[in-house]
């Protein structure tokens, strides 16, 4: 006899880390760091999600090296001086019951761009640098042309990945994620649309997977055994002729073999996007990888309402559900969603809230319940009176 299906607000454990529920805040670039160092903005931005009840809060793509930044405002972990400000964020999240993770990345051909609100005319003097990618092809027409990384340079870059991972561990992060999606460096190795190399890091799927797998294996070796390692991938490319679901299933299996614990399933980032964008449009990708690669997955992409998110967990399409822009609009989304789904027990209805808020919200709930009860009583008396006078 099968047990009850898992629910969105059930706890979940991966390696030695237990999450209070299955909700995740996606890593979202904020372009607000100075020399890669986090500041008060990052503390408030990320801290509000911990206060709002999310199970896992992911810090934005954090560069392993200065030249790997998407913009001059990216966070970084290429230097020890960048650890303390991130540890401050970690400590705050832990203080309010959330687990917190960090996404490590290298922007590759997308590096040295600008925040969305800064025009080329406003570009700061120090915002452009030499960039490096899989080949010399720019990310798209009009983008800066990169230099192709040599095999020797790739060997050296492994040190940057592992050094950044060690710093993330020192900062206290519970989870680490490697960014291999959305046109970033590792995605460009995986995609046949961008990887036209003729050495051992190009060619067939085996060659294209070689460097991303080496990165994952090297990071797993230095990342603490009890802490989960995730990889975000584009399960399919944005353009026909690119990465397929079958490719990603094989990649997921291989990542699992080198110690990756969960695949964060996104899509696109290279070429024009052909997949239909609709609510939950990437959930099926997560479900397919989970079923066929037998690896835990995270679903993301236009998941906005409580029932939709709960269905992802109940149907075993994924193990975690991530929210990006929805979390920005409502950083306390888990509190209202849990209420809507009635996934709470006696005495723990508002436990996702910090104690400073819990008493106020509990008081409001009791007031609303009294109003509802009074309204029901009034309606009942009116019905009785109406019936007695023969008007029903």
């Amino acid at each position: 006899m099968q047990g009850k299906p898992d629910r969105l607000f059930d706890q979940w454990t991966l390696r030695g880390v237990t999450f209070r529920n299955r909700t995740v805040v996606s890593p979202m670039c904020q372009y607000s760091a100075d020399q890669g160092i986090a500041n008060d903005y990052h503390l408030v931005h990320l801290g509000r999600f911990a206060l709002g009840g999310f199970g896992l809060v992911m810090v934005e793509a954090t560069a392993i090296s200065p030249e790997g930044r998407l913009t001059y405002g990216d966070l970084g972990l290429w230097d020890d001086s960048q650890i303390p400000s991130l540890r401050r964020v970690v400590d705050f999240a832990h203080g309010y019951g959330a687990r917190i993770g960090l996404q490590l990345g290298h922007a590759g051909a997308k590096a040295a761009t600008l925040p969305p609100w800064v025009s080329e005319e406003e570009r700061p003097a120090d915002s452009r640098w030499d960039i490096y990618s899989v080949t010399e092809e720019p990310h798209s027409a009009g983008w800066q042309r990169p230099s192709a990384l040599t095999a020797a340079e790739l060997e050296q870059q492994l040190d940057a990945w592992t050094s950044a991972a060690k710093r993330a561990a020192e900062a206290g992060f519970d989870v680490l994620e490697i960014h291999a999606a959305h046109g970033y460096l590792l995605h460009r190795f995986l995609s046949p649309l961008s990887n036209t190399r003729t050495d051992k890091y190009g060619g067939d799927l085996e060659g294209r997977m070689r460097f991303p797998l080496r990165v994952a294996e090297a990071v797993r070796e230095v990342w603490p055994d009890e802490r989960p390692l995730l990889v975000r991938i584009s399960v399919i490319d944005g353009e026909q002729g690119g990465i397929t679901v079958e490719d990603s299933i094989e990649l997921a299996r291989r990542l699992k073999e080198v110690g990756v614990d969960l695949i964060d399933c996104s899509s696109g980032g290279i070429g024009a996007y052909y997949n239909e964008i609709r609510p939950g449009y990437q959930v099926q990708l997560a479900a397919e990888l989970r079923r066929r690669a037998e690896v835990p997955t995270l679903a993301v992409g236009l998941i906005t309402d409580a029932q939709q998110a709960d269905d992802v967990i109940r149907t075993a399409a994924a193990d975690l559900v991530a929210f990006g822009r929805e979390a920005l609009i409502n950083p306390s989304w888990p509190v209202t969603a849990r209420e809507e789904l009635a996934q709470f027990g006696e005495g723990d209805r508002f436990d996702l809230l910090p104690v400073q808020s819990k008493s106020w919200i509990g008081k409001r709930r009791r007031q609303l319940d009294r109003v509802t009860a009074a309204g029901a009583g009034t309606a009942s008396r009116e019905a009785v009176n109406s019936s007695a006078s023969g008007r029903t």
Side-chain angles (χ1 to χ4, degrees), residues 237-311:
D237 264 327
E239 196 169 286
Q240 299 285 0
I243 295 170
T244 66
V245 172
E246 295 299 323
D247 292 338
S248 291
I249 290 168
E250 179 60 22
L251 174 64
R253 289 171 177 155
R254 299 289 292 276
L255 287 168
K256 180 181 177 182
E257 289 174 2
V258 300
V260 171
D261 300 294
L262 180 144
I263 306 298
D264 181 350
C265 298
S266 191
S267 63
I270 297 176
Y273 198 72
Y274 70 89
N275 195 26
E276 180 188 358
I277 296 178
R278 63 190 187 284
Y281 68 105
Q282 295 173 148
V283 171
Q284 186 55 41
L285 300 176
E288 192 77 356
L289 262 67
R290 188 180 191 275
R291 180 177 66 85
R292 295 179 58 192
E294 298 182 332
V295 61
T297 60
L298 178 153
V300 63
L302 289 186
I303 300 171
T304 58
D305 69 73
Q307 193 61 60
Q308 177 194 18
D310 192 45
D311 286 346

Side-chain angles (χ1 to χ4, degrees), residues 14 21 58 72 81 94 97-98 100 115-116 121 138 145 161 190 197 234 236-237 259 287 305 318 355 367 381 384:
L14 190 61
N21 57 58
M58 290 298 301
Y72 60 86
S81 65
H94 285 166
I100 186 163
E121 291 72 25
R145 184 173 292 277
W161 285 99
L190 293 166
R197 295 174 72 110
S234 288
I236 56 174
D237 264 327
D305 69 73
V355 292
Q367 290 172 334
R381 287 192 298 274
V384 169

Side-chain angles (χ1 to χ4, degrees), residues 129-142:
W129 51 85
D130 292 337
I131 67 174
Y132 302 88
S133 188
V134 179
T135 70
E136 294 181 354
E137 285 299 309
H139 174 67
S140 190

Side-chain angles (χ1 to χ4, degrees), residues 16-328:
V17 175
T18 297
F19 307 94
R20 60 184 170 185
N21 57 58
R22 309 296 190 93
T23 65
V24 179
V25 177
S26 284
M28 291 176 281
C29 290
Q30 299 298 297
Y31 315 109
S32 299
D34 183 10
Q35 302 301 313
I37 296 175
N39 51 50
D40 287 350
Y41 173 81
H42 298 92
L43 177 66
V44 175
H45 164 65
L46 295 162
R48 58 182 170 162
F49 303 128
L51 293 172
F54 282 94
L56 172 62
V57 179
M58 290 298 301
V59 176
E60 66 194 75
T62 301
I64 63 166
S65 60
E67 68 275 6
R69 291 173 295 166
L70 185 67
T71 78
Y72 60 86
D74 285 18
L75 289 174
L77 266 180
W78 64 81
D79 190 86
D80 288 350
S81 65
Q82 295 158 337
I83 296 173
S85 60
L86 287 173
R87 186 185 292 123
R88 182 176 174 227
V89 176
V90 169
D91 289 346
F92 185 90
H94 285 166
Y96 291 94
R99 294 297 191 169
I100 186 163
L102 180 129
Q103 185 186 71
L104 280 182
H106 186 296
K110 296 179 77 172
T113 54
L114 291 170
W117 58 85
V118 178
S119 68
E120 279 294 335
E121 291 72 25
E122 300 168 316
R123 178 185 281 273
D126 61 351
S127 66
R128 194 182 292 280
W129 51 85
D130 292 337
I131 67 174
Y132 302 88
S133 188
V134 179
T135 70
E136 294 181 354
E137 285 299 309
H139 174 67
S140 190
W143 289 59
Q144 185 176 339
R145 184 173 292 277
S147 298
L149 288 157
T150 66
E153 287 170 334
L154 290 173
E155 292 295 326
Q156 294 170 2
Q157 194 188 102
L158 285 174
D159 289 337
W161 285 99
T162 56
S163 295
K166 291 176 183 177
R167 292 186 182 102
E170 186 176 342
F173 285 99
D174 304 294
V175 171
L176 191 65
E177 179 173 84
I178 296 169
H179 196 349
H182 303 165
Y184 275 60
L185 179 67
L186 298 185
H187 179 197
R188 298 190 79 83
F189 271 100
L190 293 166
S191 175
L193 296 173
S194 53
N195 188 347
T196 56
R197 295 174 72 110
T198 57
D199 64 2
K200 65 180 181 180
Y201 294 111
D204 60 8
L205 179 61
E206 187 68 28
R208 300 196 309 274
M209 290 192 301
R210 183 167 280 111
F211 187 66
L213 286 172
R214 290 197 63 194
V215 169
E217 185 173 20
V219 168
R220 179 73 270 179
E221 286 178 358
V222 301
W223 185 243
D225 286 344
E226 71 279 8
R227 304 187 204 180
L229 177 62
L230 284 51
V231 176
R232 170 167 273 194
I233 67 171
S234 288
V235 178
I236 56 174
D237 264 327
E239 196 169 286
Q240 299 285 0
I243 295 170
T244 66
V245 172
E246 295 299 323
D247 292 338
S248 291
I249 290 168
E250 179 60 22
L251 174 64
R253 289 171 177 155
R254 299 289 292 276
L255 287 168
K256 180 181 177 182
E257 289 174 2
V258 300
V260 171
D261 300 294
L262 180 144
I263 306 298
D264 181 350
C265 298
S266 191
S267 63
I270 297 176
Y273 198 72
Y274 70 89
N275 195 26
E276 180 188 358
I277 296 178
R278 63 190 187 284
Y281 68 105
Q282 295 173 148
V283 171
Q284 186 55 41
L285 300 176
E288 192 77 356
L289 262 67
R290 188 180 191 275
R291 180 177 66 85
R292 295 179 58 192
E294 298 182 332
V295 61
T297 60
L298 178 153
V300 63
L302 289 186
I303 300 171
T304 58
D305 69 73
Q307 193 61 60
Q308 177 194 18
D310 192 45
D311 286 346
V312 171
I313 302 301
R314 285 182 178 273
T315 61
D319 300 276
L320 295 172
V321 181
F323 306 83
R325 288 159 288 190
E326 189 65 23
L328 295 177

